[in-house]
Amino acid sequence: MGIHEQDALSEPEGISFPLYRDAPSSVEFNKLRKRLLRLTRQAIEDYAMAKPGERWLVALSGGKDSYGLLAVLLDLKWRGLLPIDLLACNLDQGQPNFPKNVLPDYLNANGIAHRIEYRDTYSVVTDKIAEGNTYCSLCSRLRRGHLYRIAREEGCSSLVLGHHREDILETFFMNMFHGGRLAAMPPKLMNDDGDVMVLRPLALCAEADMAKFADGMKFPIIPCDLCGSQEGLQRNAMKAMLDDIEKRMPGRKDTMLRALANTRPSHLLDRKLFDFASLSPAQ
């Protein structure tokens, strides 16, 4: 069945998905829901993410994007478009004032299979990183390591993350401006140990759409008090730059995302990707 067949995204007549029981019934929200379903399904198919019968570990932080990711994947599964077993997982990292009941209550109320894991990485991060510096890198590495372990324990072939279009573009420009390399977040990546795939099904979805979706679904959002409260992060600067470009030239974000999928090594400067030395005029 083709990715663009709209009838595949139509709900069965007279039936609605329980997860959306309190969602708006407006035309605008329904269009948003279908757009997210279509783009997520497109990314899954374009990057060959799914093999029927697999089990995925869906990382759930309590932020808008991870809630949205879980809802969209469950929606696709409910429609018979994602033959994958899904297990939601929250890693409680020991952050002060973290509301431990919010995620279990939400998951239980909606009958969603899940695992809650407690690991105090917060103390490790605050001990290793000087106050005022960015916690994100170390925090992310520690969290990812535990999620890989949980994926193995639960028999999951893939760890699924809620990174969207803006996350990918911001990472690209951070690597270019601060790392001197052209690299972003790939939609599909094998971990270093070669036993867990990392998937980003929201790769084509806009952050603004994810925010509207979260508002409509009334997700119980949990803010990140560890890194979200720090000012002056490089990612914030990239986000502001991209937003300014989009404001002045609407549609540029989509164009930049397409560019990441349309590279021409012969028109760059990387000698490892293209054999410039062998170029010579035809005799």
Side-chain angles (χ1 to χ4, degrees):
M1 184 175 294
I3 190 72
H4 299 296
E5 292 186 25
Q6 293 301 313
D7 57 348
L9 295 181
S10 298
E11 290 190 5
E13 188 174 353
I15 304 175
S16 61
F17 187 26
L19 188 63
Y20 289 78
R21 59 184 173 270
D22 297 322
S25 58
S26 66
V27 172
E28 181 181 4
F29 182 82
N30 287 331
K31 286 183 178 179
L32 170 63
R33 177 182 175 184
K34 285 192 174 184
R35 180 163 64 250
L36 293 176
L37 288 170
R38 175 176 55 80
L39 291 172
T40 301
R41 190 178 175 214
Q42 180 181 338
I44 290 172
E45 292 196 0
D46 284 354
Y47 295 98
M49 295 184 186
K51 293 181 181 178
E54 287 184 329
R55 195 178 199 208
W56 288 0
L57 188 74
V58 184
L60 184 64
S61 67
K64 70 180 192 311
D65 303 321
S66 63
Y67 271 122
L69 169 68
L70 180 61
V72 170
L73 292 179
L74 287 169
D75 201 347
L76 287 171
K77 182 176 174 63
W78 174 73
R79 295 167 187 268
L81 300 173
L82 186 64
I84 299 294
D85 186 24
L86 301 174
L87 178 67
C89 179
N90 172 251
L91 181 65
D92 179 348
Q93 298 180 257
Q95 294 171 232
N97 304 315
F98 183 81
K100 296 181 181 297
N101 65 305
V102 171
L103 286 170
D105 287 352
Y106 173 81
L107 294 165
N108 286 324
N110 289 284
I112 300 171
H114 64 277
R115 173 172 169 174
I116 306 295
E117 178 91 359
Y118 177 79
R119 296 286 170 169
D120 185 9
T121 63
Y122 177 86
S123 297
V124 176
V125 171
T126 53
D127 178 64
K128 298 290 186 182
I129 305 296
E131 185 175 354
N133 291 340
T134 302
Y135 297 143
C136 298
S137 180
L138 178 58
C139 178
S140 178
R141 289 200 303 274
L142 293 173
R143 180 173 63 250
R144 190 72 61 85
H146 284 299
L147 289 172
Y148 287 150
R149 171 183 56 80
I150 295 168
R152 297 183 188 105
E153 292 174 357
E154 294 290 346
C156 296
S157 61
S158 299
L159 170 62
V160 190
L161 306 176
H163 296 124
H164 46 62
R165 180 187 70 179
E166 276 71 11
D167 288 322
I168 291 173
L169 292 176
E170 290 160 15
T171 300
F172 173 77
F173 282 105
M174 286 174 64
N175 282 325
M176 184 169 66
F177 291 163
H178 301 285
R181 61 183 180 275
L182 297 182
M185 289 178 171
K188 181 179 180 182
L189 175 72
M190 184 65 75
N191 73 335
D192 291 341
D193 290 334
D195 63 344
V196 178
M197 197 72 73
V198 178
L199 305 177
R200 297 182 173 95
L202 300 182
L204 307 180
C205 298
E207 182 176 19
D209 279 351
M210 299 308 300
K212 291 176 185 175
F213 186 64
D215 287 342
M217 293 291 287
K218 297 182 175 59
F219 294 135
I221 303 297
I222 301 174
C224 177
D225 294 325
L226 178 61
C227 56
S229 61
Q230 290 180 290
E231 298 296 329
L233 300 179
Q234 294 174 353
R235 186 169 293 276
N236 288 345
M238 299 301 102
K239 182 182 293 291
M241 180 192 73
L242 287 166
D243 287 346
D244 179 62
I245 292 173
E246 184 71 15
K247 182 178 180 180
R248 291 187 288 108
M249 296 179 287
R252 293 315 96 188
K253 287 183 179 180
D254 279 335
T255 302
M256 285 187 274
L257 196 69
R258 288 199 304 273
L260 292 180
N262 186 27
T263 57
R264 299 186 181 183
S266 64
H267 287 56
L268 297 174
L269 280 70
D270 194 335
R271 291 172 292 166
K272 296 186 294 296
L273 289 181
F274 187 79
D275 186 8
F276 292 98
S278 67
L279 283 181
S280 61
Q283 299 298 323

